[in-house]
Amino acid sequence: MNRGVSYTLMAFTALAGINPLFAQQKNKVIDKPNVILINIDDMGYGDTEPYGMTGIPTPNFNKVAQQGLRLTHFLATQPVCSASRAALLTGCYSNRVGISGALLPNSRIALNPKEETIAAVLKKSGYKTAMLGKWHLGNQAPYLPVHYGFDSFYGIPYSHDIWPIGYDGKPITDPQNMRGKWPPLVLLNGDNPVDTINTLDDQSRLTTIFTEKAIEFIQSSKKSPFFLYLAHPMPHVPLAVSDKFKGKSQLGLFGDVIMELDWSVGQILDALDKAGIAKNTLLIITSDNGPWKNFGNHAGSTSGFREGKNTTWDGGNRIPCLVRWPGKIEPGTVNSALMVNMDILPTIVAATGASLPKNKIDGLNFLPVWTGKTKEGPREIFYYYFAQGGEATLEAVRYKNWKLVLPHPSATYSGPQGKDGFPGVIGRVDVPMGLYNLSLDPGEDHDIQELYPEIVTKLTSFAEEAREDLGDKLTDRKGKNVREPQVY
């Protein structure tokens, strides 16, 4: 039996016996909880106080951590925008569903509409669904959120740096600069453009706009179960902040942006309280990948993990995740079980009584971990894939606390950093094989493969299983069980 399904059934059985919220009638959950999933772009593991940040007050992130669960070994499936979001919403390795890298305006690839998202499975279960913010899984209709299970969408099609504006905030006039040929960045309502974002001042409105829309949705949907996916575009560069937070932090514009995102979380918590539905709402806050380190003081903190976004060192994949569900999740708990963002879909399914997607997924149900029924998670193995475009390369394998890094080319941020919105140098290196014990060496500094050859052999066998199933560009392997994206 699929481990995600088996854990789902165990969670239903255990919870039904202790709380009437989970009483079952014909295998369906009564009084379904609302679900809010906040996905924050490029927010590093260490960018808020619950994960070690200093210099930026984050009282509302703190509140969620104090009232819920803080996960310390939570990973993005791939350390880049589109791939990570595909995994989050489908419960699959990104390369299983054919999505890699970050889709650009000229990309003619989208998430296949045959893939069922969190919104799609919840909508079939009677949920009202909405998305706000950054999509990045298809650039035009009919490959926008309202065609993937969302009743409504208000946001941007991709990252807000995909526009014909330079790092100085001025239009790009150099004909040799590819970015100057990109189209204007539009705000969409459903499939339809309703506004254009032309300047950094326009960008400074985004966090507030999406927060206000979120509050409106909560207020209008409080009488029926709902799913809200709020995908904030920042602190991905270019950074911009509203006047109410400009100059408020000790860490410049980056700190101001984090403070505004913290304010947004607080507004949502207040809206749930005012609507009287906080106790029946599962709130999940996470990020899509680690910080873009070459932007220096406009990038965040990995809290000491190696490298950052666009690399499969833990600075790229390890991300924050806070979960609050009053009465179901014990306040102030911390869990170090290995969990990945593709595990969120089956966990939400378990919490709501929805049905899993018909296609094979890779995510596992962590509801028993979240609700304190067990401290041991169902995941022991994770495959670190990465691709900027085209087919993905298998770059590392994790088994429990062991991580075997496979030989591969990689970006590195060891060169000069950027400052004040201008990028620094991204180098390229050939990474050799290495074995790391993440319990004792979270910075992945000490290769101990010669001391533990039996662990190397074990994880190498797992890598072969991954190549058979999901493929590997570096060894020219085609996966037997990958599915095609939508090509248009």
Side-chain angles (χ1 to χ4, degrees):
M1 180 180 285
N2 177 282
R3 282 192 290 177
V5 175
S6 65
Y7 274 92
T8 298
L9 295 174
M10 286 193 298
F12 286 171
T13 301
L15 289 171
I18 64 170
N19 195 308
L21 175 66
F22 288 92
Q24 296 182 49
Q25 183 179 20
K26 296 182 180 178
N27 298 321
K28 292 186 178 180
V29 174
I30 296 173
D31 196 15
K32 301 172 182 178
N34 307 304
V35 180
I36 299 177
L37 174 57
I38 302 177
N39 193 26
I40 301 176
D41 202 346
D42 282 12
M43 187 169 76
Y45 184 88
D47 284 349
T48 62
E49 288 179 310
Y51 288 93
M53 173 54 72
T54 60
I56 307 174
T58 57
N60 294 299
F61 286 107
N62 300 354
K63 184 176 181 180
V64 176
Q66 292 159 3
Q67 295 180 349
L69 168 68
R70 178 167 62 90
L71 296 167
T72 60
H73 281 252
F74 188 82
L75 306 179
T77 308
Q78 282 197 34
V80 66
C81 298
S82 296
S84 174
R85 290 158 198 272
L88 173 68
L89 290 177
T90 67
C92 297
Y93 279 102
S94 314
N95 41 317
R96 189 176 301 286
V97 296
I99 299 295
S100 64
L103 300 180
L104 296 177
N106 60 351
S107 298
R108 291 295 177 260
I109 292 175
L111 181 66
N112 196 315
K114 294 179 181 178
E115 302 293 345
E116 294 179 82
T117 65
I118 298 172
V121 297
L122 291 182
K123 184 173 181 177
K124 288 196 297 184
S125 189
Y127 276 69
K128 182 178 179 182
T129 61
M131 181 185 170
L132 298 165
K134 170 183 164 179
W135 172 235
H136 218 167
L137 291 174
N139 296 335
Q140 62 187 45
Y143 308 115
L144 295 170
V146 292
H147 303 277
Y148 294 85
F150 291 99
D151 295 320
S152 62
F153 167 61
Y154 191 91
I156 54 179
Y158 33 62
S159 302
H160 64 290
D161 68 331
I162 299 177
W163 64 336
I165 307 297
Y167 299 116
D168 58 0
K170 299 177 181 178
I172 297 171
T173 57
D174 180 0
Q176 303 302 313
N177 189 331
M178 174 189 73
R179 299 174 69 244
K181 298 180 175 63
W182 286 345
L185 181 62
V186 294
L187 265 175
L188 298 167
N189 187 353
D191 287 340
N192 304 310
V194 293
D195 203 351
T196 303
I197 301 168
N198 296 308
T199 66
L200 290 174
D201 282 342
D202 293 341
Q203 301 256 12
S204 72
R205 299 184 291 119
L206 292 178
T207 300
T208 296
I209 287 173
F210 297 141
T211 302
E212 291 173 347
K213 294 284 185 183
I215 293 168
E216 291 172 7
F217 177 76
I218 291 168
Q219 292 171 339
S220 65
S221 308
K222 61 185 178 182
K223 293 184 179 180
S224 60
F226 65 78
F227 169 57
L228 171 61
Y229 174 46
L230 171 57
H232 277 301
M234 295 185 197
H236 190 298
V237 293
L239 298 180
V241 71
S242 68
D243 289 340
K244 57 184 175 288
F245 287 98
K246 193 172 293 182
K248 297 295 184 182
S249 81
Q250 297 176 22
L251 294 186
L253 182 56
F254 177 82
D256 300 345
V257 168
I258 295 295
M259 287 185 66
E260 186 159 35
L261 290 167
D262 181 80
W263 164 84
S264 175
V265 170
Q267 292 293 297
I268 289 169
L269 297 178
D270 289 345
L272 293 174
D273 287 339
K274 290 176 182 177
I277 57 175
K279 289 186 176 180
N280 195 34
T281 300
L282 171 59
L283 171 65
I284 305 164
I285 304 174
T286 188
S287 171
D288 65 339
N289 48 246
W292 209 351
K293 296 295 290 181
N294 63 306
F295 279 90
N297 65 340
H298 278 208
S301 166
T302 67
S303 199
F305 299 125
R306 187 168 174 175
E307 296 288 4
K309 174 180 176 175
N310 291 327
T311 80
T312 50
W313 299 104
D314 264 27
N317 286 79
R318 187 94 66 104
I319 52 177
C321 186
L322 301 172
V323 187
R324 189 188 83 155
W325 194 4
K328 313 300 180 299
I329 293 176
E330 184 178 352
T333 54
V334 178
N335 189 275
S336 61
L338 172 61
M339 186 177 180
V340 186
N341 67 347
M342 64 184 173
D343 296 324
I344 284 181
L345 183 149
T347 304
I348 288 175
V349 164
T352 61
S355 298
L356 289 167
K358 295 178 182 178
N359 286 332
K360 172 185 172 62
I361 68 169
D362 301 290
L364 302 174
N365 169 27
F366 276 73
L367 188 63
V369 176
W370 288 9
T371 55
K373 301 297 175 288
T374 177
K375 286 191 173 295
E376 298 296 325
R379 179 171 296 286
E380 292 185 337
I381 300 171
F382 173 66
Y383 304 122
Y384 294 77
Y385 276 93
F386 182 67
Q388 282 285 24
E391 299 175 39
T393 295
L394 179 63
E395 296 187 353
V397 177
R398 179 163 170 177
Y399 171 66
K400 296 184 177 180
N401 293 321
W402 297 99
K403 182 175 178 181
L404 179 66
V405 174
L406 303 168
H408 66 274
S410 175
T412 181
Y413 299 108
S414 59
Q417 285 193 341
K419 184 180 178 183
D420 296 341
F422 290 85
V425 176
I426 301 178
R428 299 296 300 178
V429 293
D430 289 324
V431 175
M433 178 177 283
L435 179 69
Y436 304 91
N437 184 337
L438 297 181
S439 291
L440 305 177
D441 180 22
E444 300 171 273
D445 294 320
H446 304 287
D447 174 15
I448 52 177
Q449 60 179 306
E450 292 184 1
L451 298 177
Y452 298 94
E454 72 281 6
I455 300 297
V456 173
T457 299
K458 188 179 186 71
L459 271 65
T460 299
S461 70
F462 292 151
E464 278 302 297
E465 293 176 10
R467 291 173 180 131
E468 182 80 4
D469 182 24
L470 292 162
D472 177 21
K473 182 180 179 182
L474 199 62
T475 56
D476 198 27
R477 299 278 289 277
K478 301 290 184 182
K480 291 183 176 179
N481 298 301
V482 297
R483 303 192 288 268
E484 294 296 325
Q486 180 68 47
V487 179
Y488 60 96

